[in-house]
Every structure is written in C-alpha cells, then in structure tokens.
Amino acid sequence: MFSYTRAESRERGRLFRKGFRQALADNVDPALERRIQAIDQSAAERGQRELNALHTVRDNDRNTVAQAKAKVRTAAREDKAAAKQALRDAEQQLKRSERAVNRAENS
C-alpha cells in the first residue's frame, strides 16, 4: 500500500512527466529515477504504518464485539436491551474497520 502526500504526488507526477520526455529522447537522468524511487519508498513505508494501524483498530474492534457478546449473555433481564444495542453498535464499528482494512489492502 502506498500513501502519498499531496506534495509527493505532485512532485512524483512532475518527475514522471520529465522522465517521460527524457525517455523519448533516450536520455533519462538516473538522479530522476532515484528521486522517484525515494518518493515511492517513503510512501510505501507510510502506507505500511497506516495499514498496521488499521489492523490494530480492527483487532480492538473484534475484542470489543467479543466483550459485548459476553455482556449480552450475562446481562440481567432489565439490562438485556441495552447490552444488545451495545453489541449492534460494536458490530457496526467492526464492519467499518474491516471495510477500511479491505480497501487499504486491495488498493
């Protein structure tokens, strides 16, 4: 996963266009390629950190759902409705975090 900042994205695009023009002339500057690779590497590192953070959030949400299920099973009759609502809320949050992880992994 790559996570480019706006400045990196603009710079990479500018360097790519410059390299494309140089490639048409068969005279590509190696410094240009190194700069593009450095931008890609920093974006990949940032993307990996963000993906790891998403995995952590998803794991925490899974634990929250498990705790909510346990509370539903052990709740007194008066507290059962509130426990079920908390379980539904936790499951919705888990779905959102799983979708975010899937989008990040597939992009």
Side-chain angles (χ1 to χ4, degrees):
M1 177 177 150
F2 292 93
S3 179
Y4 294 98
T5 62
R6 291 180 61 148
E8 284 177 340
S9 187
R10 283 192 308 269
E11 178 70 10
R12 190 179 188 287
R14 187 184 68 76
L15 292 172
F16 178 80
R17 287 187 298 277
K18 188 174 182 180
F20 181 75
R21 287 191 297 271
Q22 289 178 0
L24 291 176
D26 288 332
N27 188 19
V28 179
D29 185 14
L32 190 75
E33 292 176 350
R34 284 193 304 272
R35 180 65 185 132
I36 289 174
Q37 288 175 354
I39 291 171
D40 288 343
Q41 182 179 1
S42 68
E45 290 171 359
R46 187 178 310 106
Q48 188 60 44
R49 284 193 304 271
E50 290 175 8
L51 187 60
N52 291 340
L54 284 172
H55 282 286
T56 302
V57 169
R58 184 190 59 190
D59 292 340
N60 290 339
D61 289 342
R62 285 180 178 169
N63 290 335
T64 304
V65 168
Q67 290 172 354
K69 283 183 181 182
K71 285 183 181 181
V72 168
R73 291 184 182 124
T74 60
R77 178 175 222 148
E78 305 83 33
D79 301 331
K80 194 80 96 170
K84 284 182 180 180
Q85 183 60 44
L87 174 60
R88 284 191 289 271
D89 294 343
E91 287 173 339
Q92 287 177 353
Q93 177 59 37
L94 176 61
K95 285 180 186 179
R96 284 193 296 272
S97 63
E98 285 178 340
R99 272 189 245 125
V101 169
N102 288 338
R103 277 194 308 269
E105 288 178 343
N106 294 328
S107 64

